[in-house]
Structure formats: C-alpha cells, structure tokens
Amino acid sequence: MTYPITRRLAIAAAASIGLLSAGPVAAEGWTPERPVEMVIMAGTGGGADRLARLFQSIIQKENLSTMPILPVNKGGGSGAEALRYLADNEGENHLIMATLNSYYTTPLRTDIGVDIEEFTPIARMALDTFVLWVNADSDIETLDDYVEAVKASGGTWKMGGTGTGQEDSLVTAMLENEFGISVTYVPFSGGGDVARNLVGGHIDSSVNNPSEALGFYQAGELRPIAAFTPERISAFPDTPTMGELGHDLVYWMQRSFVAPKGMAPEAVAYYTEMFENLSQSQEWQTYTAEKALMADFLTGEELQAYFLEEREKHADLLNAMGEGS
Amino acid sequence: MELLGHLADGFATSLSPMNLMIVIIGVTAGLFIGAMPGLGSVNGVAIVLPLTFIVPPSSAIILLAAIYYGAMYGGAISSILLGIPGASTAVATTFDGRPMAQQGKAGLALIAAATASFVGGTISVILFTLFAAPLADVALAFGPPEEFALVLLAFTTFVGLGGDDVLKTIIMICLGLVLSTVGLDLISGQPRLIFFDQPGFYSGVSFLVLAIGIYGVGEILYTIETSKSAPSVTPAKLTFKELKYGLKEMNKLWKTMSFGSIMGFFVGMLPAAGATPAALMAYGLAKLTSKTSSTFGKGNIEGVAAPETANNAASTGSLLPMLTLGIPGSPTTALLLGGMVMWGLVPGPMLFIEQPDFVWGLISSLYTANLAAVLVNLALIPVFVWALRMPFTVLCAIVLILCLVGGYAPSQKLHDVWLIVGFGVIGYFLRKADYPMAPLVLALVLGPLMERSFRQTLISEQGNVLAFVERPLSATFIALSAIFFLLPLLNMLRRRMRAKTTAGKPAE
C-alpha cells in the first residue's frame, strides 16, 4: 500500500525540482541557505534607502531570489559603520551592500581601516544625475543669470546640500572652481529637506538629484538651470547640460552592490545573475525613466576598475577642497 | 462641496469589507507592537512594508496607516504599565501614567490614554481634511531659524513649567545635549565623542537606548530597592462601571484635549519636529492652565490626556508634509514615503491632483483606523491590566528581558545592550539623587535638531545671531521661550512676597 504514496511523492518532488529549475532563480551550483542581508550605507528615508528598498521589493515580487533579501540600514558615520561591517564579515556569502559615492569618500576622509579594493564587486545598477536648481519664483533662467546673481551676492549666496564632504558639497566645489564664484554651503540631513528649504526660500539654490526635486518641479515650484550630465536628461528635455554651455562639469552618483572580501565565486555568480534579471525587469525600466536615473549595468572586473578610478577622482576632488587627509 | 465629495469617494474605498478587515488587523498588530518597549511604529511599518505588494496600493497604505495609528495608541500602554516609554512620543505619558498605575488606577489611566488618543486623532484628521492643501505652505515657511526657535520653546516649556528643581532640570538638559553630540557631526562630517574608540558610537546614542536604560533598567533597580518583596503595583480590575466612570472623567477634560489636539497637529506638521516635542509641550501647557496643577507628576489624569491627544494629533499632522511636500516629518512617515515610491506614486504637491483616489482613500482610512484603534484598545485594556497581576518577581524579570531584547532589536548591535545596562545604573543613582529624567531624554531627542538648525542658521546668515529674532515666526517663539524661562523666577518672587505678607501666620 505504501507504493503509490511513495510514487506520488516522488513525482511531486520531481515536479517541484522541475518548477524550480524552470524559474528565473535557477542559478547553477550555489543558492543561499538563509536570508541574505542587504546592508544600506545610509539611514532610512533618504534617496539611497528608498532605492535599495525598491530593489528588494522588485526582487521579492519577481521572485528573483530563492531566499528573502533583508535590508538593514547602517548609515552611521556617512556609511563608515556599513563599511566596517562589510570588512568584518570576510568570506560571508549571505551579505551584500548597497553603495553610493560615500563608498569612496568616507574611507578617504576618515581612517576607518577599510580598503574598498578588497571588497567583491557585484553589480552597478545605475548612475544618478545631478541638476542645478533654483526656486521657480526667482529671476534666474539661465546659467549666466545664475553666475551673475551669485557674484552679485558677494559670497552670501546660500547653496543647500546633503552633509559635508559628500556628493553635494563636491559638486558645489566644482561649480565654485569652474566659475570662480564663492557660495555659502549649508548642509542638511537629506535631499528632501534641501528641496523643501529651496521651495520655502530658506536657501537660494541646490544640486539635488532629480528624484529628490521631481515632485516640486512638476508642481512648478523649482526650476532646473543645468544638468551635470554629458547628455540631456530625458525627464528635463529643455534643460541644457553644463557641457553644452561650455563647461566641462560632469558628476554621477553610482548606485551599486558589493560583497565582502572572499565571497565564494559561485555566490558572486548567483547575485550577479539576480541583479542582471532585476535590471531587465519592467519595473526597474519604468522607474529609471521616470526618475531620470541612468540605468547603466556593469559587473565584475570592469566594475572594480570603475570603483578604483572613481576613488582616484574623489581623492583629487577632496584634496582640492582641502578636505582630504 | 467638492471636499465632501472627495471624502465620500474615499470612504467608498476604505469601507470595503477587505479594507475594513485590514484596518482591524492593522490596528491590533500596531497596538501590540507599540506596547512592546523597544518596538514602535517604525518597526511595525518596516516589517509590514514588503508584504504590502500583495494588495493594491490603496489597501496597502490603509494597512500601514492602521499600524501607525495602532502603535501610537500602544505606546501609552508600556508607559503607563511599566513606566518605560515604548517610543519617544510616549515619554510625557509616563509622568502621570506611571504614578496612576502605581496607585492602582492603571485601568483608568489606560482609558484616559485611549480616549485622549481618539480625540486627538479625530480632531487632527478633521483639520487635515479641511486644510491639508493650504497648510502645506505653513510647513514650507519653516526654515532652520524657525526650527531652532521651536525646539528652544520645547526646552523652556520644560524648565519653566516642569516644576522640578530648575537647576537640576538644566543640568539634565545639558547632559542630554552632550549625549546628543556623540557620533558624526552633520556639518563637518567629523566624528565627535567616540568614547574608547568604540565603532558603535559612530551612529550616536539613540533615544531608545537611553530611555530603555533609564526608565526600564533604572526603574527596575529602583523598584527592587524600594519594594523589596512587596509588589509595587496594586493590581487593578476593569469593569464596565469603571469604563463609564473613566469616560465621564474624560468628558471634563475637553479643554485640555482640544488644546492638545490643535497644538499636536501643528507641531507634528512641521517637518523636523514631530510628535515628541508636541506631546511634551502639550503636557507643559496643560500643567500651566490646569486648576489642579500641583498634582501633575503624581498621577493626574489630565497629565495623561494632554500628551496622548497631542502625540496622536501630531502623527496625523506629520502625514501632511509627507503627502503634500514629499518630506517625511518622522522616521515612520519616511518609511511610508518609501512605500509610496515603491508603489509608483510621487508624493509631493501633485499627489492630490494626480492621485485623488489614493489620497482620499488614505484620509478616510484615518477616520476608520482611529475608530477601530480606540475600540480594540478599550476591549484589550483588561488583558493589559491583567499583566500587572503577575508577581513582581516574575514581572521584573520579564521587563528586564523586554528591555534588553527591545534595545537589541532595532540596531542589532550588542554595543547598545551594554549602553542600556550602563544607563540603567546611572539612571538609578540619578533617581536616588532626585534628578528629573525627562529633560535628559528630551534633550537627547531634540538636541541634534537644535544644534543643526542653529548652525545652519549661523552659516546661512554669515554668523549673524540676530537672524533668529529678525524673522516674525521665530521671533515669536523666542519671545515665548523667554517668558517660559522666566516663569519659575516670577513664581519664586511671588511666593516670597506671599510668604512675607503671611509671615507670622501658621504655614498652610
């Protein structure tokens, strides 16, 4: 009597194996044995956090991973906390980290005993863009107007941005160098806060990422002056790039994933495939188009080369600002 | 009226059977999450957020709003029963809620908290419905100088109206401000006060760790010493008669509650402030205007009602800048915002125009969530009170475990657990020396905001300190602060005068 049951079970087992291998999660060899920790280098609610949680939700919705991905915020010390955590978990196969540009700048600015060259690159998902914004009520329409207004203010022009020694202040320093102007840089705790203060008239300009200012732009509260991109951003077709205006100013915010030193190659392959599938998902395509993100997928050695090159650039930038040590 | 039409459409969404069920599940879950020390609405929303993809966005936001509301109600429960504020928003509820529980009036205090939360929630939702769009401009008018002035006002409310020893209050505020500077300096990005080079201090000292240490562990140590074997709490029973009595008592407090609601809503609406200063300021105001102000801090029901109306009103208020400006007013609304982005909605000025179904569905669900929360809460009060009937020796151990687990859960760092133990011991000695704890906790919560806004203002205004009084809103707040700060001095003078005139007569 036990025979049919056993056979049924065997068929069921075979069928489920078949289902598994037919699904998009069919990585050969290695699959995670427990939930995967996704460390985020920033606090909750910011641009990086929102994006990381978006990735998690798409992975879950599209069933791209056999095990759930658990986002954990370790934003302390401009990401120093997250970097240390990654360094302390050498050889861990169930840990990945969502990065932003503080991936380079934080270890350059404070000695936390972390060398990013040792980490395992997984995938770069996108490059976020920067745009120069003013309040829509101001008279400033063009970059020339802007430079003139800043010069006329005699150094009291208020430029708001997120933190110090991070992306916004670097972009501000680039502007100051290029145009020979000087502004008063006012640091805020997040991009949304900067946008609100610009709309409220408490600061005079910002270099927000498009996603942070988009809502106010659509409501006609903020005006983009110029984009720090090589080509025009599709969401703002009428906004010229700095390059078009004759100024070689380009700056990106990378949105990538890395893993600890010594992760097994099979595990690296698994996550790489997961993010590749993610980058092809409909939702991600829609999001990047709407939020003016440049989806730019890069993996492996090429990504590592990119990281190291960017680290060099940021070391120069920080030195120029007198912040590097 | 167009508004009512929108609201009616919203109710059509939120009153569907599935959404009603979601609301009840949400508030019940939220209530328990909020009642656990260490777990607050942030954790509740964070846990549930990924699950919301299986339901449509309008139902998902209803679930999250229900958890949010439930947790705001629940926060009062651990404040009253255990004396540990589950979230910073419930700190002020411990002042009178805890003494009430110790006098065996835990049931009454819980009824007060629940009804006050309901009143606060209802008044603020009505304000939200009527004025959401125009009020967004008020939030925009708040720049760094106004933020600083508001925080200053919250502090001086405490010094002036706190009633504790003024010098000790100021010492505790200073101590809290020092603790709040631990970690990374926002302005320069440099690490500050990293004690013993412990990497854990990079992320600063969190409110939760301090509150659990001081109120949880410290309170246990203190109670063990004072009570030895006798239980410190008189178990309370709850009957319908008591419920009726409680509601009647609350009926007398309509003035306190309406003040608390309006104040809570407006303070909560300001992007940086949130429910914690709102609750504390409402407590201060209630004490100032109450006829029975001398019993505040000793188990006055008004002292429970005021902060509870204000913190619930503020939690509604903080939804306003999130929806209209895309700026979260609290960590929880930051998560809600993240959720909305995931569902493909763009919070901000266009949301009301482009997604009216979603917005009005949410607003109407606030009404249903609020009603469901008060009913579930009142129904569960006997369960919560029952917990107090446990022998003290058992309860004490459970509370200690809750404290340590609650401290570990959000950050998952053992570093925080050691800090909790350390703060517990320090808190025990400070309590023995009769230092007030609330100003310390308040200073840690508001310190970073105060420092940041102060320095942002000075940077923007090229070091001009007068900038704070040159702007009408911040000047008003600063003037009020000055009055509150001088109140204890005036009171002292008045008492001296009275003492002189009554000299010779027997003391009162």
Side-chain angles (χ1 to χ4, degrees), chain B residues 78-323:
Chain B
S78 63
S79 292
I80 291 168
L81 295 182
L82 308 173
I84 311 169
S88 64
T89 52
V91 170
T93 313
T94 57
F95 303 161
D96 280 282
R98 178 65 176 153
M100 280 183 82
Q102 280 164 336
Q103 294 155 17
K105 292 192 281 187
L108 186 61
L110 289 171
I111 294 172
T115 38
S117 296
F118 178 69
V119 173
T122 309
I123 292 181
S124 60
V125 174
I126 293 170
L127 288 173
F128 191 111
T129 314
L130 295 176
F131 304 116
L135 281 178
D137 293 337
V138 179
L140 281 176
F142 260 69
E146 286 79 14
E147 283 171 12
F148 173 78
L150 183 76
V151 176
L152 190 69
L153 184 60
F155 275 119
T156 49
T157 325
F158 238 75
V159 178
L161 311 173
D164 297 301
D165 190 325
V166 174
L167 186 64
K168 282 179 173 171
T169 305
I170 293 176
I171 290 175
M172 293 310 267
I173 288 181
C174 293
L175 193 63
L177 288 177
V178 170
L179 281 178
S180 78
T181 57
V182 172
L184 228 91
D185 177 5
L186 172 90
I187 306 287
S188 72
Q190 294 303 313
R192 296 185 300 190
L193 291 180
I194 308 296
F195 298 110
F196 314 114
D197 279 330
Q198 288 291 309
F201 284 112
Y202 271 98
S203 40
V205 176
S206 92
F207 148 79
L208 206 66
V209 166
L210 182 72
I212 291 182
I214 297 257
Y215 287 103
V217 178
E219 169 92 18
I220 292 172
L221 292 176
Y222 189 72
T223 321
I224 289 174
E225 192 199 26
T226 50
S227 64
K228 295 266 166 30
S229 57
S232 70
V233 224
T234 329
K237 269 184 274 175
L238 189 79
T239 56
F240 265 105
K241 221 173 90 189
E242 263 177 289
L243 184 64
K244 238 170 83 184
Y245 170 72
L247 293 178
K248 222 170 85 193
E249 282 290 294
M250 292 307 288
N251 207 10
K252 294 182 202 150
L253 301 178
W254 62 268
K255 201 180 77 187
T256 309
M257 292 199 290
S258 27
F259 267 139
S261 307
I262 293 168
M263 183 156 181
F265 181 73
F266 281 97
V267 176
M269 201 180 76
L270 307 170
T276 308
L280 288 161
M281 287 162 80
Y283 183 86
L285 189 74
K287 190 172 173 183
L288 182 74
T289 54
S290 171
K291 287 185 199 110
T292 53
S293 63
S294 59
T295 58
F296 266 67
K298 294 171 194 132
N300 190 326
I301 191 167
E302 229 175 306
V304 175
E308 276 304 306
T309 38
N311 68 21
N312 267 59
S315 64
T316 312
S318 71
L319 289 172
L320 198 139
M322 181 197 86
L323 290 173

Side-chain angles (χ1 to χ4, degrees), chain A residues 57 164 184 187 192 196 202, chain B residues 140 142 147 187 327 456 462 471:
Chain A
S57 71
T164 305
T184 300
R196 174 178 68 83
H202 308 293
Chain B
L140 281 176
F142 260 69
E147 283 171 12
I187 306 287
I327 314 288
Q456 280 170 341
Q462 320 292 327
R471 299 165 57 130

